[in-house]
């Protein structure tokens, strides 16, 4: 009578029994799926070896779904074992412990989507609903609010019904071909960003321009250095003014500051002088 009016109450013994039964069923399903996945991989390898790539791409979608479901079963098995150990803790606490939020919410989320394969999860969900309320179960089951209730993202991704992307299919086909030593040439399609970059490169190449690299300092000005003429020919210098011809325009000796050389020294022979100029202190000290 009270159950009809107020609903069923939380039964820890029943919940623990169903959790253990669910763990045993998941182990059986995992063994069957392992055999199915192994056989599917062999069949796809044969299709690739015979050149039937289109059939292999269709078969690989079913393989991806089987592998994703196997991942979800593995996670759910751990959560069921955890809850079966902490049933008494759930009974003692009115609120849901923080370290059990992910496991409880993930089991509730998977109960609706795996009810045909794991009917024990439906019974566990009813027990959790009696403990934590209908609103909490509704939020955990919904795809829009499941992440707010800390449902494991891998469980959501593995149980999602969607078409796999071409990259995922090609990656799995390449893995199978490598595993079974199948000579299969992978044809990949570049991304939008890669296509835009390649088109830009083609335009620059067709116009004859070389693409320039951006500089770190755009306002930097290259300094100009004086051009110095060097000569490998031996130069004879007349120190005392008694002969020797030095080529014009080539500095000889060690430079010194003005005023350090004696004013009595004259201009080296061979150096041009401007008209009307007087001999001043030499800017160059001649090496002896």
């Amino acid at each position: 009578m009270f159950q009809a009016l107020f609903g069923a109450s939380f039964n820890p013994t029943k919940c623990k029994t169903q959790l253990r039964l669910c763990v045993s069923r998941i182990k059986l399903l995992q063994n069957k799926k392992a055999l199915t996945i192994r056989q599917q991989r062999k069949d796809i390898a044969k299709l690739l070896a015979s050149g039937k790539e289109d059939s292999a791409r269709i078969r690989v979608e079913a393989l991806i779904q089987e592998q994703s479901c196997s991942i979800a079963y593995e996670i759910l098995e751990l959560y069921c074992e955890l809850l079966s150990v902490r049933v008494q803790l759930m009974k003692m606490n009115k609120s849901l412990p923080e370290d059990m939020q992910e496991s409880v919410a993930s089991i509730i989320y998977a109960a609706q989507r795996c009810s045909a394969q794991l009917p024990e999860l439906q019974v566990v969900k009813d027990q959790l609903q009696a403990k934590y309320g209908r609103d909490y179960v509704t939020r955990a089951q919904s795809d829009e609010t499941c992440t707010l209730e800390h449902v494991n993202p891998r469980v959501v991704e593995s149980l999602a019904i969607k078409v796999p992307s071409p990259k995922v299919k090609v990656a799995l086909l390449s893995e199978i071909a490598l595993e079974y030593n199948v000579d299969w040439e992978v044809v990949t399609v570049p991304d939008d960003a890669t296509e835009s970059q390649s088109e830009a490169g083609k335009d620059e190449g067709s116009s004859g321009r070389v693409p320039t690299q951006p500089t770190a300092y755009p306002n930097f000005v290259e300094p100009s250095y004086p051009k110095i003429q060097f000569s490998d020919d031996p130069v004879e210098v007349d120190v005392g003014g008694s002969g020797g011809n030095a080529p014009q325009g080539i500095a000889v000796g060690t430079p010194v500051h003005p005023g350090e050389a004696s004013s009595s020294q004259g201009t080296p022979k061979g150096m041009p002088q401007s008209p009307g100029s007087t001999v001043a202190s030499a800017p160059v000290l001649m090496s002896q």
Side-chain angles (χ1 to χ4, degrees), residues 54-69:
D54 295 336
S55 299
R57 289 179 181 270
I58 297 176
R59 290 281 191 92
V60 79
E61 293 188 10
L63 176 60
I64 292 173
Q65 292 180 359
E66 291 291 335
Q67 291 182 347
S68 299
C69 188

Side-chain angles (χ1 to χ4, degrees), residues 273-279:
Q273 295 182 359
S274 59
S277 63
T278 59
V279 177

Side-chain angles (χ1 to χ4, degrees), residues 42-213:
K42 288 182 180 179
D43 295 340
I44 293 174
K46 292 179 181 179
L47 292 175
L48 292 177
S50 59
K52 299 179 180 179
E53 184 176 346
D54 295 336
S55 299
R57 289 179 181 270
I58 297 176
R59 290 281 191 92
V60 79
E61 293 188 10
L63 176 60
I64 292 173
Q65 292 180 359
E66 291 291 335
Q67 291 182 347
S68 299
C69 188
S70 179
I71 294 174
Y73 284 173
E74 183 179 356
I75 299 174
L76 292 175
E77 180 182 357
L78 296 176
Y79 288 159
C80 289
E81 291 180 352
L82 176 64
L83 293 186
S84 64
V85 175
R86 297 187 180 183
V87 166
Q88 296 299 326
L89 180 62
M90 296 166 59
K91 179 182 178 181
M92 296 172 57
N93 295 331
K94 293 183 179 180
S95 60
L96 180 62
E98 185 177 357
D99 58 344
M100 296 178 60
Q101 291 180 357
E102 181 176 326
S103 57
V104 171
S106 300
I107 288 178
I108 295 174
Y109 180 86
Q112 184 180 5
R113 293 159 178 81
C114 302
S115 59
Q117 297 82 9
L118 301 173
E120 293 83 6
L121 285 184
Q122 189 67 30
V123 181
V124 174
K125 187 203 75 171
D126 295 337
Q127 292 294 318
L128 295 175
Q129 179 176 330
K131 177 65 177 179
Y132 300 111
R134 184 183 299 272
D135 295 338
Y136 171 74
V137 173
T138 303
R139 293 193 303 269
Q141 286 181 342
S142 176
D143 291 328
E144 290 78 12
T145 58
C146 63
T147 55
L148 300 178
E149 300 300 335
H150 306 284
V151 177
N152 193 328
R154 293 186 63 188
V155 174
V156 178
E157 181 69 20
S158 300
L159 296 179
I161 301 176
K162 60 181 181 179
V163 179
S165 62
K167 285 186 177 180
V168 176
K169 294 192 294 185
V170 170
L172 186 55
L173 289 174
S174 302
E175 180 184 346
I176 295 173
L178 183 62
E179 180 182 358
Y180 291 92
N181 297 324
V182 177
D183 187 10
W184 179 61
E185 183 179 359
V186 182
V187 180
T188 58
V189 179
D191 298 337
D192 296 339
T194 308
E195 291 179 354
S196 60
Q197 292 179 0
S198 60
E199 292 296 334
K202 290 180 181 179
D203 295 338
E204 291 180 353
S206 59
S207 60
R209 295 183 289 105
V210 178
T212 58
Q213 297 292 336

